[in-house]
Amino acid sequence: MALPPDRLERFARHIVLPEIGGAGQALLAQATVVLIGLGGIGSPALQYLAGAGVGTLVLVDDDAVDVSNLQRQTIYRASEPGRSKTELAELWVRAFDPVLNVRRVSQRVTRESAGEVIAGADLVLDGCDNFATRLAVSDACVAARIPLLSAAVGRFQGQVGAFAGHLPDQPCYRCYVGDAFDADDCDTCAEDGMLGAMAGWAGTFAALQAVRVLLAPVGGLGDPQWGKLHLLDGLAPGMRTLAIAKDPGCKACGTA
Ligand SMILES: [Zn+2]
């Protein structure tokens, strides 16, 4: 349970915070987070989750780096287009902190594979780029009773929400978006564009909320904010928060 001296030193600025302390840092070291999507949200989220000492990171993406990714996907470099994102992300983590455990899943998550991909996680952070995957991941999280942080970004807008649809009074992601998008890849950023720093804001905010959820068992940063959707506006700029209600008729978490 207690961290060795070199880890206490590495995480000194966390441990001095009463909200984290040695107990919280040890909890982060034991945590497993599944990161769906290693793009504009997943890259900065990975950097701050690894920086926070999250002990096991499961890296999920079926894509290769494209030169147009470099504007916002902060873990990739000019020499790397064409290479596997999960391979490069694993190399990044190993160079950054060799103590952390990494598992790679270099496939697209489907309704069939989602349960296996997220098994054993304390938290799933979904920053992928399509609704079909988001809904498959959300449904699998409800079934496996695993909390989900869902993050999305486009143009100058971002959204980050924490969902625990397996709990009786809490909504899941499907309660929020409904059933219309199961088969659609309708929200890729290629057509609309995106300011790179917006992806950074959404990704790092998702990493903050991930730490909040992971530390909830020891009090940590307080309420995990289930069902709260934070809307990030880069043009105003500002942030609003919506409360999502549980849909009793929800296919995934409803009781009706
Ligand atoms: Zn639901």
Side-chain angles (χ1 to χ4, degrees):
M1 184 75 185
L3 293 167
D6 61 321
R7 302 303 277 176
L8 293 175
E9 194 178 354
R10 181 167 180 130
F11 299 109
R13 298 298 181 279
H14 270 176
I15 291 167
V16 75
L17 294 167
E19 291 82 357
I20 300 181
Q25 193 59 49
L27 199 57
L28 293 174
Q30 290 162 12
T32 296
V33 172
V34 175
L35 203 48
I36 312 275
L38 297 167
I41 289 167
S43 293
L46 173 61
Q47 289 180 298
Y48 279 95
L49 291 174
V54 171
T56 301
L57 296 157
V58 182
L59 309 176
V60 186
D61 203 304
D62 68 336
D63 213 355
V65 177
D66 183 85
V67 69
S68 67
N69 298 156
L70 300 176
Q71 161 255 22
R72 65 194 182 282
Q73 302 187 14
T74 47
I75 58 175
Y76 308 120
R77 296 180 291 186
S79 61
E80 294 173 340
R83 296 182 60 188
S84 152
K85 288 187 178 179
T86 53
E87 274 183 44
L88 292 168
E90 178 176 15
L91 290 173
W92 184 88
V93 174
R94 297 217 180 285
F96 177 74
D97 186 351
V99 169
L100 305 181
N101 302 303
V102 177
R103 188 156 65 79
R104 291 196 286 127
V105 180
S106 305
Q107 304 159 1
R108 193 174 186 86
V109 178
T110 64
R111 194 147 284 287
E112 291 69 39
S113 68
E116 194 181 331
V117 169
I118 67 165
D122 297 294
L123 172 70
V124 175
L125 195 165
D126 186 359
C128 81
D129 64 358
N130 70 90
F131 276 115
T133 301
R134 286 177 187 283
L135 286 165
V137 167
S138 174
D139 292 352
C141 284
V142 173
R145 309 184 62 79
I146 296 171
L148 170 68
L149 267 178
S150 190
V153 67
R155 292 175 52 82
F156 299 91
Q157 315 296 323
Q159 301 185 349
V160 178
F163 296 95
H166 56 281
L167 300 177
D169 300 320
Q170 299 299 345
C172 75
Y173 178 76
R174 185 181 286 280
C175 292
Y176 165 50
V177 299
D179 300 335
F181 297 116
D182 275 299
D184 277 341
D185 283 6
C186 60
D187 54 345
T188 59
C189 70
E191 305 87 36
D192 284 348
M194 182 193 309
L195 181 72
M198 274 310 301
W201 185 12
T204 54
F205 187 65
L208 167 68
Q209 297 299 79
V211 169
R212 180 192 306 278
V213 169
L214 294 173
L215 293 182
V218 293
L221 280 64
D223 182 79
Q225 306 206 343
W226 304 134
K228 297 280 173 34
L229 186 74
H230 301 279
L231 305 178
L232 320 181
D233 182 342
L235 284 180
M239 196 160 101
R240 289 191 302 135
T241 304
L242 304 179
I244 309 297
K246 192 176 186 82
D247 173 5
C250 174
K251 264 182 8 188
C253 77
T255 48

